[in-house]
Amino acid sequence: DQQVKQNSPSLSVQEGRISILNCDYTNSMFDYFLWYKKYPAEGPTFLISISSIKDKNEDGRFTVFLNKSAKHLSLHIVPSQPGDSAVYFCAASAMWDYGGSQGNLIFGKGTKLSVKP
Amino acid sequence: DSGVTQTPKHLITATGQRVTLRCSPRSGDLSVYWYQQSLDQGLQFLIQYYNGEERAKGNILERFSAQQFPDLHSELNLSSLELGDSALYFCASSAGTSGNEQFFGPGTRLTVL
C-alpha cells in the first residue's frame, strides 16, 4: 500500500522549458513534504520542502506547490537545465505518530527527469 | 558532499552469510536512519536511532538489526542473506528526531550471489 505515489516513472523536457513533477499521497496525517534529487551512484540530495500550512515554497528555479484537498504536490523547475537530469523523489512525513514511524520519511518510487539540450 | 559517510561502497557476498554496513552521520547530527532501495523501488525506511536509542522501526526484517554507538556512528547488520536482499542501502542523518531534511550518504551496494 503506497502512501506516496509518483505515477510518472520518467519525464523528458527540452532545455529552457518548465519541468513539472507530480506526487500524490494518501495519508492525511502527512504534514511535511520534501523533494530529493538523486544522481546515479550518489545518495539522494535534499532539494526543497514545504509544510502543510503553506501552499507554495520557492527556492530559485525550484517551486513546490501543495494542494492539501487533492493530496497532491508538484515540483516545478524553471528553466530546466541539462544538469537537472536526475531521479526526483517525493517524500512525506507526519509529526504525529501513526504506527510507530513518527517523523520518518515515506518516499515515492521516483521520477526520472531527462532535460535535453 | 552531504557529510554522511558509508562504508563499504560495494559488497559482494553469498547467500546465508552475514555482513555489516557502517555509517557515520554528519557532525552534530544525533539521528541516524537506514533505508533500503531495491530495483525499481523507492527508498524503504528500515530503522531510526536517536542518540544511541532505537527511535522508530519500519519495514525491517528480523534477520536485520542495527545499533548506534556512543560516538554516534551506526551499523546495520544483515544476516542469513538471501538473493532478495541485494539492494542499495542508504544511511541518512538529521539533527533532531523528526524525519525532516535528512542528509543521505552515498550508499552501500550489496550484491548477494
Side-chain angles (χ1 to χ4, degrees):
Chain A
D1 177 27
Q2 264 194 286
Q3 298 187 66
V4 177
K5 300 178 186 178
Q6 294 178 257
N7 292 319
S8 298
S10 62
L11 175 67
S12 183
V13 170
Q14 206 68 31
E15 180 180 6
R17 307 294 290 268
I18 184 172
S19 295
I20 300 177
L21 296 100
N22 294 303
C23 178
D24 297 294
Y25 61 97
T26 58
N27 192 332
S28 57
M29 298 297 288
F30 288 146
D31 54 11
Y32 199 75
F33 304 89
L34 308 89
W35 285 93
Y36 281 81
K37 179 168 75 172
K38 185 180 180 304
Y39 293 116
E42 294 183 13
T45 303
F46 170 74
L47 195 56
I48 192 169
S49 62
I50 187 167
S51 162
S52 60
I53 62 173
K54 294 186 173 183
D55 54 19
K56 176 183 174 181
N57 188 27
E58 193 171 350
D59 183 3
R61 296 186 297 113
F62 302 91
T63 303
V64 56
F65 295 91
L66 175 62
N67 182 334
K68 280 182 293 184
S69 60
K71 293 193 178 73
H72 176 84
L73 65 155
S74 60
L75 174 68
H76 292 210
I77 307 174
V78 184
S80 302
Q81 300 173 354
D84 296 329
S85 297
V87 177
Y88 288 78
F89 289 98
C90 169
S93 72
M95 290 306 296
W96 307 104
D97 193 0
Y98 67 99
S101 299
Q102 177 187 356
N104 288 298
L105 296 179
I106 307 298
F107 283 85
K109 291 189 178 183
T111 296
K112 184 176 182 179
L113 173 66
S114 299
V115 180
K116 301 186 185 307
Chain B
D1 184 358
S2 67
V4 178
T5 60
Q6 287 186 250
T7 56
K9 201 171 179 65
H10 300 279
L11 197 50
I12 302 175
T13 188
T15 55
Q17 295 298 304
R18 172 190 167 96
V19 296
T20 297
L21 313 183
R22 183 187 168 103
C23 167
S24 292
R26 287 190 323 159
S27 176
D29 283 355
L30 298 179
S31 275
V32 169
Y33 312 78
W34 286 98
Y35 292 86
Q36 179 192 57
Q37 185 183 22
S38 303
L39 195 64
D40 295 332
Q41 296 292 315
L43 290 92
Q44 301 290 320
F45 168 69
L46 295 178
I47 196 165
Q48 177 200 2
Y49 278 80
Y50 176 78
N51 203 20
E53 300 287 329
E54 183 182 302
R55 173 79 178 169
K57 258 184 175 178
N59 299 321
I60 187 166
L61 300 172
E62 285 190 13
R63 300 183 286 109
F64 296 1
S65 65
Q67 54 184 326
Q68 187 179 27
F69 295 86
D71 66 352
L72 301 177
H73 90 271
S74 177
E75 292 181 356
L76 178 67
N77 301 295
L78 315 176
S79 62
S80 303
L81 285 167
E82 302 175 359
L83 295 177
D85 298 327
S86 295
L88 269 168
Y89 291 85
F90 289 103
C91 166
S93 73
S94 68
T97 57
S98 79
N100 301 339
E101 296 182 29
Q102 296 175 16
F103 296 86
F104 283 78
T108 293
R109 179 172 291 282
L110 173 66
T111 303
V112 182
L113 300 175

